[in-house]
């Protein structure tokens, strides 16, 4: 074993560049091993990052019926794959917002007692214009346009 | 902290000395059958590929009759390199079984199962059955038509076993029929129960190989045997094989991506030309040939019992073939050759017949 190592050593030596051949082989070995590892791990890494699901191209949705929504109440509806909240105020106005709290993405609800939109997770509060008025939420809720079509309530993105 | 100091630090707490000594001492005999020693390591490597790609597939796979097929469609079309990971998983499964067969038959023909290695053989034979279980359960997971019928047939075969058949069938199917409940069950077998059993058996198997060292076949002069160090000489040769295997897998996956087929439909007829994976084909083909009735008993039952008996004999071979050089021992070798020829013949017949 030791003998063969010595002879290898001599073979790899040249007068002006000791071990030049061995260093070159080491370089080839290291780069091919590196390239192999990259070729294995790059697909794994990409596989693990989930593909973007196509955003629902939905711009308006039927959120419910007037007859099923009493004054001073609210309901959650599906806007594509995101929740929205529809509120019928004390005065009978209809308002619609994104139901995703701007704090940590919990789903908000309508509090008929306080006449506010309220997030139960961290006590975030929004007024009926969607403005953040108390608790941790940093931004207002995204507001939607509400129209009625007979008994149907149609919510669309502004 | 430099590397040397780090190693010293770990050594002081873990005690790397015995491990290093073990690695240093382990030697591989060199003779004309040395080539066969590589197939155990190859099987193990492909198993590691299975565990890795399987874990990755779990990130997207959704078991269930309404979601399994769709989730694999999603993996194949939307997930980046999803086609690659799934195809490698399928191809590697097949290559692993092929490597396992080579490993097993080489151990059989070199009679590596003799004392003191009987339990190494038994643990290996049990691993064979587990691996076939992996193949059978994994095949259903895409919930396509071929898988659906393969599972119907396979579980039905289990149902013909005398006495225990009815129980076996319901146990495997999770009910009377192949439904979403079967899929959930097979998923559980495939990703939890079988891997658990495999881990235990594999630890035993590899430990025993380590303990007894590689077996030197009969007829090799042990007094003048040359050896090779396992670390690094043999391991580096192993490594070359593994790198080649990765290349072969990548090429197969790219050139022949694994098909998904049509979604399973319990109210559609079985497609023409349906047959199981190649490693079950010889049994499938045999069952086709057995007459409906043998001495008043269902032919199928006889066939299945014969295969079960064959499997049992295969496991206990080390306890019947014990003394080298005897006539009995030569009978085992001859029987092994017949088995191999039968498997190869029936498999080819299954493809062309």
């Amino acid at each position: 074993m030791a003998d063969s190592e010595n002879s290898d050593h001599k073979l790899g030596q040249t007068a002006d560049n000791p071990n030049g051949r061995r260093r070159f082989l080491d370089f080839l070995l290291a780069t091919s091993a590196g390239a192999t590892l990259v070729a294995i791990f790059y697909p794994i890494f990409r596989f693990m990052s989930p593909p973007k699901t196509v955003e629902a191209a939905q711009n308006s949705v039927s959120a419910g019926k007037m007859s099923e929504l009493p004054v001073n109440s609210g309901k959650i509806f599906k806007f594509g794959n995101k929740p929205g909240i529809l509120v019928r105020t004390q005065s009978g106005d209809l308002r619609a917002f994104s139901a995703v709290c701007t704090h940590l993405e919990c789903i908000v609800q309508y509090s008929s007692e306080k006449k506010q939109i309220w997030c139960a997770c961290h006590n975030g509060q929004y007024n009926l214009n969607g403005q953040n008025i108390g608790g941790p939420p940093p931004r207002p809720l995204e507001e939607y346009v509400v129209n009625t079509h007979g008994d149907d309530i149609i919510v669309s993105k502004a | 902290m430099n590397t040397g100091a780090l190693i010293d630090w770990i050594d002081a707490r873990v005690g790397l000395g015995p491990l290093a000594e073990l690695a240093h001492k382990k030697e591989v005999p060199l003779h004309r059958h040395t080539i066969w020693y590589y197939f155990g390591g190859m099987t193990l490597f492909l198993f590691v590929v299975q565990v890795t790609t399987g874990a990755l597939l779990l990130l997207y796979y959704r078991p269930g009759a309404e979601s399994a097929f769709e989730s694999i469609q999603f993996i194949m079309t939307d997930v980046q390199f999803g086609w690659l990971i799934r195809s490698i998983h399928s191809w590697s499964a097949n290559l692993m079984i092929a490597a396992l067969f080579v490993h097993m038959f080489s151990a059989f023909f070199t009679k590596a199962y003799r004392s003191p290695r009987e339990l190494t053989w038994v643990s290996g034979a049990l691993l064979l059955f587990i691996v076939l279980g992996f193949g059978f359960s994994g095949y259903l997971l895409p919930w396509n038509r071929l898988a659906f019928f393969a599972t119907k047939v396979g579980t039905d075969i289990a149902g013909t076993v005398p006495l225990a058949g009815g129980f076996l069938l319901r146990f495997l199917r999770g009910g009377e029929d192949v439904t979403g409940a079967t899929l959930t069950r097979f998923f559980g077998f495939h990703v939890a129960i079988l891997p658990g059993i495999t881990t235990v058996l594999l630890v035993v198997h590899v430990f025993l190989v380590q303990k007894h060292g590689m077996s030197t076949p009969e007829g090799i002069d042990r007094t003048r045997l040359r050896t090779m160090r396992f670390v690094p000489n043999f391991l580096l040769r192993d490594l070359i094989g593994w790198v080649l295997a990765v290349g072969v897998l990548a090429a197969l996956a790219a050139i022949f991506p694994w098909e998904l087929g049509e979604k399973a439909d319990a109210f559609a007829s079985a497609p023409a030309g349906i047959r199981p994976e190649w490693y079950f084909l010889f049994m499938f083909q045999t069952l086709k040939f057995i007459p409906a009735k043998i001495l008043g008993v269902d032919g199928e039952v006889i066939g299945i019992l014969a295969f079960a008996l064959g499997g049992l004999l295969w496991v206990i071979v080390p306890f019947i073939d014990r003394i080298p050089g005897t006539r009995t021992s030569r009978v085992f070798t001859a029987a092994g050759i017949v088995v191999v020829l039968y498997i190869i013949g029936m498999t080819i017949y299954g493809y062309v017949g």
Side-chain angles (χ1 to χ4, degrees):
Chain A
M1 199 70 200
D3 281 8
S4 70
E5 261 174 22
N6 277 341
S7 58
D8 278 357
H9 199 247
K10 277 173 202 149
L11 273 176
Q13 274 182 337
T14 55
D16 50 348
N17 187 3
N19 284 334
R21 207 177 302 182
R22 168 158 293 185
R23 276 173 58 191
F24 179 65
L25 283 175
D26 280 348
F27 168 79
L28 282 187
L29 185 65
T31 44
S32 355
T36 307
L37 291 179
V38 169
I40 290 171
F41 284 100
Y42 175 73
I44 290 181
F45 172 74
R46 294 303 297 264
F47 180 89
M48 288 168 71
S49 44
K52 288 188 183 68
T53 43
V54 187
E55 190 84 9
Q58 224 164 359
N59 246 330
S60 78
V61 68
S62 166
K65 296 194 183 308
M66 278 297 252
S67 49
E68 290 165 6
L69 190 69
V71 289
N72 194 26
S73 73
K75 68 168 282 197
I76 299 290
F77 62 93
K78 276 179 76 175
F79 202 146
N81 53 4
K82 295 266 198 288
I85 185 166
L86 182 66
V87 176
R88 193 166 181 193
T89 64
Q90 189 83 61
S91 55
D93 286 350
L94 285 170
R95 308 267 166 84
F97 307 95
S98 156
V100 180
C101 182
T102 56
H103 177 221
L104 291 171
E105 301 195 355
C106 286
I107 297 181
V108 296
Q109 56 184 286
Y110 179 69
S111 156
S112 50
E113 248 171 67
K114 294 184 180 161
K115 303 189 176 50
Q116 279 181 349
I117 294 169
W118 177 62
C119 181
C121 289
H122 304 93
N123 197 28
Q125 296 140 43
Y126 304 86
N127 66 18
L128 296 184
N129 293 316
Q131 247 98 38
N132 45 322
I133 52 169
R139 282 184 307 280
L141 296 170
E142 188 191 346
E143 186 167 5
Y144 301 139
V145 180
V146 187
N147 289 300
T148 53
H149 187 266
D151 193 33
D152 281 334
I153 305 168
I154 310 292
V155 173
S156 30
K157 285 198 171 146
Chain B
M1 197 188 278
N2 62 35
T3 325
L6 180 66
I7 290 172
D8 286 345
W9 190 91
I10 295 172
D11 185 27
R13 280 147 190 87
V14 181
L16 299 173
L19 277 178
E21 201 185 335
L22 201 70
H24 191 71
K25 269 190 179 169
K26 188 172 168 64
E27 287 185 330
V28 179
L30 290 179
H31 47 74
R32 64 177 187 276
H33 297 302
T34 296
I35 179 90
W36 304 115
Y37 292 143
Y38 290 99
F39 285 88
M42 180 58 85
T43 311
L44 186 60
F45 172 74
L46 291 168
F47 180 71
V48 171
V49 172
Q50 287 309 91
V51 173
T52 311
T53 50
L56 286 169
L57 290 171
L58 274 177
L59 300 184
Y60 295 103
Y61 179 71
R62 288 178 291 139
E66 297 312 317
S67 56
F69 184 84
E70 288 77 3
S71 70
I72 296 200
Q73 226 166 15
F74 181 72
I75 289 173
M76 293 297 279
T77 54
D78 285 343
V79 179
Q80 304 178 77
F81 293 106
W83 61 272
L84 180 68
I85 303 292
R86 174 174 179 251
S87 298
I88 286 186
H89 192 72
S90 304
W91 274 114
S92 172
N94 282 277
L95 294 194
M96 177 177 82
I97 292 174
L100 185 151
F101 270 92
V102 174
H103 175 57
M104 179 177 77
F105 281 110
S106 71
F108 180 86
F109 287 118
T110 55
K111 307 210 180 258
Y113 48 73
R114 283 203 174 123
S115 175
R117 296 186 178 81
E118 296 95 327
L119 293 179
T120 319
W121 172 268
V122 170
S123 58
L126 295 179
L127 278 167
L128 163 74
F129 299 133
I130 296 290
V131 163
L132 293 178
F134 267 118
F136 186 61
S137 58
Y139 196 65
L140 179 67
L141 300 188
W143 198 242
N144 58 27
R145 265 169 93 177
L146 284 178
F148 179 78
F149 286 105
T151 305
K152 253 181 165 340
V153 173
T155 49
D156 201 64
I157 284 174
T160 61
V161 172
L163 303 176
F167 166 78
L168 268 178
L169 184 126
R170 278 190 303 279
F171 170 76
L172 288 172
R173 290 186 175 175
E176 292 297 332
D177 288 310
V178 176
T179 60
T182 321
L183 181 57
T184 309
R185 192 158 277 252
F186 273 38
F187 177 65
F189 293 150
H190 194 77
V191 306
I193 295 170
L194 294 176
I197 302 171
T198 306
T199 307
V200 175
L201 285 173
L202 206 53
V203 166
V204 170
H205 192 70
V206 173
F207 167 78
L208 289 173
V209 170
Q210 183 56 45
K211 180 173 169 61
H212 298 301
M214 264 96 152
S215 144
T216 310
E218 296 301 325
I220 304 282
D221 184 0
R222 279 163 221 224
T223 53
R224 296 194 323 201
L225 198 61
R226 292 186 306 129
T227 59
M228 182 198 280
R229 284 228 193 117
F230 184 80
V231 181
N233 305 45
F234 190 80
L235 197 58
L236 285 173
R237 284 165 173 78
D238 260 339
L239 194 64
I240 290 172
W242 300 344
V243 171
L244 284 176
V246 169
V248 168
L249 284 174
L252 284 172
I255 302 169
F256 308 106
W258 208 263
E259 284 187 25
L260 179 53
E262 282 175 75
K263 187 174 172 173
D265 181 352
F267 300 99
S269 31
I274 186 165
R275 59 169 170 259
E277 291 283 78
W278 61 270
Y279 42 88
F280 290 124
L281 201 53
F282 73 96
M283 292 190 269
F284 174 82
Q285 200 62 29
T286 308
L287 291 181
K288 275 190 178 176
F289 285 131
I290 295 178
K293 292 274 178 194
I294 300 172
L295 304 172
V297 184
D298 280 2
E300 205 184 20
V301 175
I302 305 268
I304 288 153
L305 288 181
F307 277 121
L309 184 67
L312 181 67
L313 278 175
W314 196 245
V315 175
I316 59 169
V317 153
F319 304 101
I320 11 184
D321 175 27
R322 293 156 66 158
I323 303 140
T326 56
R327 186 184 293 172
T328 350
S329 188
R330 281 194 289 275
V331 168
F332 276 92
T333 306
I337 293 171
V338 171
V339 168
V340 172
L341 291 178
Y342 182 81
I343 291 178
I344 293 176
M346 276 298 187
T347 305
I348 293 172
Y349 194 82
Y351 274 107
V352 293

